[in-house]
Amino acid sequence: MTVRVRFAPSPTGYLHIGGARTAMYNQLFAKAMGGKYILRIEDTDTERSERKYEESQIEDLKWLGITHDEGPDVGGEYGPYRQSERLHIYKTWAEKLIDKGHAYHCFCSEEELTAKKELAEKEKRAPHYDGKCRNLTVEEVTSKLASGEEAVVRFHAQRKAYVFNDYVRGRVVFPEGMVGDFVIMRANGIPVYNYAVVVDDASMKITHVIRAEEHLPNTLRQLMLYEAFSETPPEFAHVSLLIGEDRQKLSKRHGATSVTLYKEMNYLPNALLNYLCLLGWSHPNELDVFNPLELGTLFNLDRFTKAAAIYDVKKLDFINGQHIKALPIETILTEVEKTIPSTHQFHKMDHEWKIACVTIFKDQINFFQDFASHLDVLFTTEVSTSADYLEAKSWETTPKIREYLEGEINIAIVAGKKFVTVEDYNIWSEHVKGELKIKGKQLFMGMRSVLTHQAHGPELKFIIPLTPIEILEKRIHL
Ligand code: GLU
């Protein structure tokens, strides 16, 4: 059996991060099993569906690196891949159901149905369709249709329990009588969601349906339809809900929910995928940072977690930082350069200096655009007003360090140096320790306060050799 899976978004908005997660799981599973991953556009909600959303969703999926084997833009043997182009298929399949006695034309008006529903609710009965049109004769139906009466197609639901095994939720039982006869085709020829999904999944030979937990209740109607078509249902995996920290369903209230926004905020696609992958699934080697697209056969359907996954932007940001760190240094440089203001001195420095600078600060950023703020420690002549700095400045040892370093910096300037070296810095600190007999906190914070005008910051031996000598000179005289 060739595994065939699908992602079936409705083009009614931008790609949601939950949708991206579903698409990724499907693609990873297809890859792991040597199968095919299909993109199907579920655009039967004609009022809300728009082509621009389909296009932007496909673009965002591509940005993430999720590419489909079959779909509306690339074709395939089982097309068309847009539901709006499959109306003839839904009609033919509905006729099959009618012929087999599993569905029938229903001529009841909306008003009649609403009145019956209200009555049922009042009498505390399940508001199921009462079956009025179920037993119309072929002649009655033909003559009503011929006289132009509008009809929906309604499915004749069996009164029995339905059971299936879900990869995530285990054994799921739908007790008898949960649904009555339901509509599968509207009078205007547009199929109802549960019906279209079954026709599509069956005719596209889908073997596994991996989708969000909110679709679990739909599985009942879908199982009924598979049975009526004498088709084997696919295997199901209903992946856990995404929720905010307040345990409510993830929505715009919790922050950005569309992939487009993450792209604009400069997240790395692999980092976003990595984070989404961990929301409801765990790596077999317990890894937190990895590229999902390289999981290969490590991805399987047995490692999903049932519990709802809490969306935590801080963790996502951390993972983004981890992915930045792992990039080649030249790539990080190219990316951070784009985010540093064009007038910044950084751009005037030579390549070697820039690489050294990126090497030091790359571990401290979660985003490329965070980089510029770390450069202050190399270029600013501002003086900290923090209590720790003022304390370090007030020690009686600190002016001695300042006096010594002033002499050293002047020697370096006279020698024509643009920067001091790590060796110079080591000699300075040895001198302060050995000759001036200043040790511990007084040594390290004292040197830092004199050389940077700050009380805390990255290791001096890394930043002092990158600080232009004229900046060190200015600081020492302030
Ligand atoms: N079109 C549905 C949605 O956007 C997906 C249906 C399914 O995966 O079965 O939620």
Side-chain angles (χ1 to χ4, degrees):
M1 174 192 72
T2 308
V3 162
R4 290 178 54 82
V5 290
R6 69 350 180 241
F7 172 52
S10 303
T12 53
Y14 296 104
L15 181 65
H16 189 276
I17 42 177
R21 182 186 66 156
T22 304
M24 169 181 53
Y25 286 154
N26 277 287
Q27 196 213 29
L28 296 184
F29 184 59
K31 269 194 174 181
M33 303 300 289
K36 293 268 186 269
Y37 160 63
I38 291 113
L39 178 74
R40 183 171 74 224
I41 300 296
E42 303 208 325
D43 57 350
T44 50
D45 182 345
T46 43
E47 302 225 314
R48 293 171 58 229
S49 296
E50 284 188 52
R51 193 54 76 88
K52 72 168 189 202
Y53 291 129
E54 174 186 320
E55 284 161 7
S56 90
Q57 293 203 19
I58 292 180
E59 204 183 299
D60 286 348
L61 288 167
K62 260 194 207 145
W63 175 73
L64 286 167
I66 303 172
T67 47
H68 42 275
D69 301 303
E70 298 168 28
D73 54 339
V74 293
E77 275 181 71
Y78 297 85
Y81 293 93
R82 261 183 218 108
Q83 287 189 330
S84 58
E85 292 164 15
R86 300 174 61 81
L87 300 183
H88 57 289
I89 304 175
Y90 306 126
K91 187 165 180 278
T92 318
W93 282 57
E95 280 156 10
K96 276 196 246 174
L97 284 183
I98 294 173
D99 288 348
K100 288 189 354 191
H102 291 305
Y104 54 90
H105 286 97
C106 170
F107 298 89
C108 296
S109 68
E110 273 309 319
E111 297 74 43
E112 194 179 342
L113 292 171
T114 315
K116 281 183 181 169
K117 218 169 158 184
E118 281 169 7
L119 184 67
E121 272 160 11
K122 225 183 197 167
E123 294 174 356
K124 306 234 169 335
R125 284 183 285 115
H128 295 161
Y129 179 65
D130 65 0
K132 181 179 165 200
C133 295
R134 199 186 290 147
N135 298 318
L136 291 176
T137 63
V138 177
E139 292 72 33
E140 281 169 321
V141 170
T142 319
S143 96
K144 275 173 181 288
L145 290 176
S147 69
E149 264 192 67
E150 288 213 327
V152 299
V153 179
R154 203 177 268 285
F155 181 71
H156 183 182
Q158 298 302 302
R159 290 198 64 86
K160 60 182 241 194
Y162 285 80
V163 182
F164 78 103
N165 276 315
D166 189 275
Y167 271 97
V168 189
R169 325 231 70 87
R171 189 177 139 90
V172 179
V173 181
F174 295 111
E176 181 185 321
M178 281 183 75
V179 295
D181 291 2
F182 55 90
V183 176
I184 56 173
M185 291 281 275
R186 299 188 178 88
N188 60 7
I190 304 285
V192 168
Y193 160 72
N194 278 309
Y195 168 70
V197 164
V198 170
V199 172
D200 290 345
D201 285 344
S203 61
M204 293 180 180
K205 303 263 180 288
I206 298 300
T207 57
H208 295 74
V209 167
I210 306 167
R211 62 184 173 193
E213 191 189 334
E214 60 212 19
H215 288 294
L216 187 63
N218 291 325
T219 315
L220 170 58
R221 286 180 173 81
Q222 296 177 11
L223 289 173
M224 291 176 156
L225 286 161
Y226 279 108
E227 184 181 58
F229 283 126
S230 307
E231 291 276 349
T232 312
E235 307 261 347
F236 291 97
H238 286 92
V239 298
S240 54
L241 276 185
L242 296 188
I243 56 173
E245 271 162 30
D246 55 0
R247 306 204 67 83
Q248 301 299 310
K249 194 178 162 208
L250 196 67
S251 73
K252 287 192 183 133
R253 268 187 313 117
H254 298 100
T257 52
S258 81
V259 171
T260 306
L261 290 176
Y262 286 91
K263 186 159 72 174
E264 283 167 12
M265 289 187 279
N266 230 355
Y267 281 85
L268 291 175
N270 283 347
L272 183 56
L273 279 188
N274 181 171
Y275 179 62
L276 292 177
C277 191
L278 290 171
L279 291 174
W281 187 81
S282 64
H283 192 286
N285 304 332
E286 314 271 309
L287 296 188
D288 258 355
V289 180
F290 55 91
N291 179 356
L293 300 177
E294 288 168 3
L295 280 172
T297 51
L298 283 180
F299 185 83
N300 61 46
L301 301 184
D302 302 330
R303 300 196 61 83
F304 284 123
T305 38
K306 261 191 204 172
I310 299 181
Y311 195 74
D312 173 2
V313 181
K314 281 195 210 85
K315 176 140 190 223
L316 165 62
D317 292 356
F318 168 78
I319 288 182
N320 201 60
Q322 299 298 306
H323 279 258
I324 287 184
K325 236 196 249 185
L327 290 171
I329 205 80
E330 292 283 353
T331 312
I332 308 179
L333 173 58
T334 312
E335 292 305 318
V336 299
E337 272 193 305
K338 293 182 201 158
T339 69
I340 301 172
S342 60
T343 53
H344 198 288
Q345 265 174 283
F346 181 92
H347 298 290
K348 299 203 190 87
M349 311 307 273
D350 67 22
H351 189 71
E352 201 186 332
W353 180 93
K354 287 179 181 171
I355 291 291
C357 185
V358 170
T359 309
I360 289 170
F361 295 120
K362 73 177 169 61
D363 293 351
Q364 293 171 37
I365 57 170
N366 283 341
F367 297 94
F368 294 125
Q369 61 268 34
D370 288 352
F371 190 81
S373 67
H374 289 279
L375 295 173
D376 285 353
V377 74
L378 306 180
F379 295 105
T380 185
T381 48
E382 269 172 37
V383 181
S384 167
T385 51
S386 75
D388 284 356
Y389 170 71
L390 295 174
E391 193 200 326
K393 206 182 157 199
S394 72
W395 294 327
E396 57 173 356
T397 46
T398 304
K400 292 183 194 155
I401 299 177
R402 200 195 70 82
E403 199 181 322
Y404 163 67
L405 290 178
E406 184 179 357
E408 290 302 303
I409 288 168
N410 280 337
I411 294 169
I413 291 173
V414 172
K417 288 192 180 176
K418 298 241 176 309
F419 294 94
V420 296
T421 60
V422 187
E423 291 73 32
D424 292 332
Y425 173 79
N426 287 336
I427 292 169
W428 297 351
S429 81
E430 282 309 310
H431 180 92
V432 174
K433 209 174 356 175
E435 304 296 320
L436 305 183
K437 309 271 186 261
I438 301 170
K439 298 202 172 67
K441 206 170 155 189
Q442 271 70 20
L443 164 68
F444 298 111
M445 275 181 76
M447 283 189 71
R448 183 183 294 283
S449 71
V450 168
L451 292 169
T452 70
H453 290 318
Q454 304 292 320
H456 307 283
E459 270 202 68
L460 288 175
K461 73 165 184 241
F462 294 134
I463 56 171
I464 297 306
L466 288 177
T467 308
I469 195 113
E470 67 274 12
I471 299 289
L472 291 178
E473 191 200 12
K474 267 192 205 150
R475 286 176 183 166
I476 211 108
H477 288 124
L478 274 177

